[in-house]
């Protein structure tokens, strides 16, 4: 933890304001020392997008414009700090919806200029990796991270802070996307992940043997086949129990996710497994991953559900580490809709 560019810029008392507007959550948080959440506010736009069955980019950008200032103000009030106490402003610069990202990035730069503090651009995927560090800042590296969100599914080796190796990724749909599409098909509403999670509790996970694509082969994933298999099964058996379909679909996805993450951890000799991203809020995934860690003698780090889905505390935490590693980001840096986690 020495000779990083920004070593003198951060310490345990550095208070970072995080801002997140990459998709459909408008969020702000104040985090001290990269780990201690002083306040975290998330304003979800779910109701605005629900009637369309997914996020409408133009509606998201406009809602961020309306919501961001009140969300930041509320965060500062909840923290009970004077805004002059804030040491840096960190904001998601990608990946995400360009219009949505620009709202947060413009506001974050304006706050940083007005308060005369550093601006730090944060990669949203890196921030998901850091969510677990909010619960346990002492996580020993290297770890393998299963990052499962609405737009991404990957297994990442976190070799050190800021040093990532992507070991596997989806070749088609993201896991969250599969949950959302299957939920929509089953008429369970949007967003689909939590709806399937709830429905599955009343179903039999062994009722239908849905395919586990590429389960025994490498570390990449494919989820478009299981989605199609669900549709074909329901069309062929219109009277099937929706709870059984939800439970069996969820079991197939979780089985592949856990099997491959375990394999990755064994391959690289990781000390533990970290979960991150919205799908990490899934009850069965959390339970099975912790069970696998216990069986393999690894430490399992599963963030609280609120820190798995999009929030700004993880942005502030990742921002603290980025500030230490790279120093401030230029104010003329832009937003990057397709920003990769690692080249
Ligand atoms: O990380 P996130 O909030 O946003 C992105 O960066 O994409 O992830 C959202 C995804 C959605 O696909 C949502 O359906 C899924 O996470 N999700 C879940 C659960 N809660 C949210 N998937 C399965 N089970 C859940 N409990
Ligand atoms: Zn996310």
């Amino acid at each position: 933890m020495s000779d990083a560019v920004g070593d003198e810029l951060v310490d345990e008392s550095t208070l970072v304001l995080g801002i997140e507007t990459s998709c459909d959550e408008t969020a702000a948080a104040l985090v001290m020392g990269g780990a201690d959440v002083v306040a975290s506010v998330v304003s979800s736009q779910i109701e605005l997008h629900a009637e369309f069955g997914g996020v409408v980019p133009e509606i998201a950008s406009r809602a961020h414009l309306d919501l961001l200032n009140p969300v930041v103000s509320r965060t500062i009030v909840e923290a009970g700090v004077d805004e002059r106490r804030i040491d840096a402003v960190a904001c998601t610069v990608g990946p995400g919806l360009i219009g949505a990202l620009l709202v947060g990035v413009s506001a974050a730069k304006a706050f940083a200029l007005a308060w005369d503090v550093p601006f730090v651009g944060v990669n949203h995927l890196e921030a998901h990796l850091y969510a677990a560090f909010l619960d346990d800042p002492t996580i020993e590296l290297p770890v393998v991270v299963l990052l499962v969100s609405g737009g991404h599914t990957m297994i990442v080796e976190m070799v050190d802070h800021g040093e990532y190796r992507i070991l596997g990724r989806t070749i088609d749909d993201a896991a969250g996307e599969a949950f959302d599409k299957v939920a929509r098909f089953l008429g369970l509403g949007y967003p689909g992940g939590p709806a399937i999670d709830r429905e599955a509790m009343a179903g039999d996970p062994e009722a239908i043997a849905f395919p586990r694509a590429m389960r025994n082969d490498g570390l990449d994933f494919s989820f478009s086949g299981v989605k199609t298999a669900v549709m074909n099964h329901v069309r062929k058996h219109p009277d099937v129990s929706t709870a059984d379909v939800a439970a069996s679909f969820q079991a197939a996805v979780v089985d592949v996710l856990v099997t491959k993450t375990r394999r990755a951890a064994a391959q690289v000799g990781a000390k533990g497994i970290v979960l991150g991203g919205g799908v990490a809020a899934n009850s069965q995934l959390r339970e099975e991953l912790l069970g696998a860690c216990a069986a393999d003698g690894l430490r399992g780090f599963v963030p609280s559900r609120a820190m798995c889905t999009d929030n700004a505390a993880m942005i502030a935490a990742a921002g603290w580490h980025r500030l230490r590693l790279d120093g401030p980001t230029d104010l003329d840096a832009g937003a990057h809709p397709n920003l990769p986690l690692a080249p």
Side-chain angles (χ1 to χ4, degrees):
M1 292 282 264
S2 59
D3 18 293
V5 182
D7 255 347
E8 72 290 353
L9 287 174
V10 293
D11 62 27
E12 300 311 303
S13 68
T14 305
L15 188 62
V16 178
L17 172 69
I19 290 179
E20 156 63 33
T21 65
S22 68
C23 191
D24 61 343
E25 323 280 356
T26 314
L30 280 162
V31 176
M32 202 189 297
D36 184 9
V37 183
V38 184
S40 175
V41 175
V42 180
S43 174
S44 169
Q45 304 174 9
I46 283 176
E47 281 168 23
L48 293 177
H49 301 283
E51 66 173 297
F52 303 100
V55 178
V56 182
E58 178 67 18
I59 294 177
S61 311
R62 287 172 189 273
H64 286 309
L65 264 181
D66 289 342
L67 293 166
L68 187 54
N69 274 328
V71 164
V72 170
S73 301
R74 214 178 111 198
T75 305
I76 294 172
V77 169
E78 277 188 18
V81 296
D82 190 296
E83 62 191 31
R84 282 168 299 190
R85 169 69 183 81
I86 296 169
D87 298 306
V89 182
C91 178
T92 305
V93 295
L97 303 168
I98 184 66
L101 287 167
L102 282 171
V103 175
V105 171
S106 311
K109 288 177 180 173
F111 285 126
L113 260 179
W115 297 332
D116 194 22
V117 297
F119 162 72
V120 195
V122 169
N123 184 315
H124 183 86
L125 302 175
E126 181 173 46
H128 273 304
L129 307 187
Y130 271 102
F133 287 76
L134 291 166
D135 289 327
D136 188 347
T138 65
I139 294 177
E140 222 185 318
L141 304 176
V143 287
V144 156
V145 189
L146 173 64
L147 198 164
V148 268
S149 72
H152 296 86
T153 296
M154 49 178 83
I155 300 177
V156 180
E157 183 190 6
M158 187 169 183
V159 184
D160 200 349
H161 291 282
E163 194 183 335
Y164 312 113
R165 210 152 61 91
I166 295 174
L167 304 173
R169 60 189 351 146
T170 181
I171 58 166
D172 43 50
D173 291 351
E177 197 178 345
F179 270 94
D180 291 336
K181 286 177 178 168
V182 165
R184 191 169 172 178
F185 174 75
L186 294 176
L188 295 175
Y190 163 87
I196 295 215
D197 199 342
R198 272 193 306 274
E199 187 74 19
M201 306 225 174
D204 174 5
E206 289 172 12
I208 309 149
F210 285 127
R212 277 115 163 112
M214 298 157 65
R215 184 183 188 276
N216 301 319
D217 175 26
L219 297 175
D220 284 338
F221 300 99
S222 165
F223 293 113
S224 76
V226 64
K227 173 194 68 191
T228 311
V230 168
M231 292 175 180
N232 290 341
H233 187 91
V234 173
R235 283 188 186 122
K236 240 192 250 164
H237 308 90
D239 296 329
V240 67
S241 141
T242 302
D244 283 351
V245 175
S248 301
F249 160 77
Q250 181 174 279
V253 173
V254 168
D255 178 20
V256 179
L257 290 173
V258 172
T259 302
K260 299 217 175 204
T261 307
R262 229 170 154 167
R263 185 179 302 147
Q267 273 180 20
V268 303
K271 300 199 164 124
I273 295 179
V274 170
L275 256 188
V279 181
N282 184 267
S283 315
Q284 194 181 351
L285 177 59
R286 298 165 77 84
E287 197 182 311
E288 289 197 15
L289 195 96
L290 287 175
C293 285
D296 294 352
L298 295 171
R299 292 195 63 194
F301 303 94
V302 176
S304 67
R305 282 190 162 81
M307 291 300 140
C308 290
T309 48
D310 285 351
N311 67 86
M314 66 181 192
I315 306 298
W320 185 94
H321 286 275
R322 271 289 147 209
L323 191 56
R324 191 183 71 78
L325 287 171
D326 301 338
T329 305
D330 280 349
L331 282 178
D332 57 6
H336 308 278
N338 300 313
L339 188 66
L341 174 65

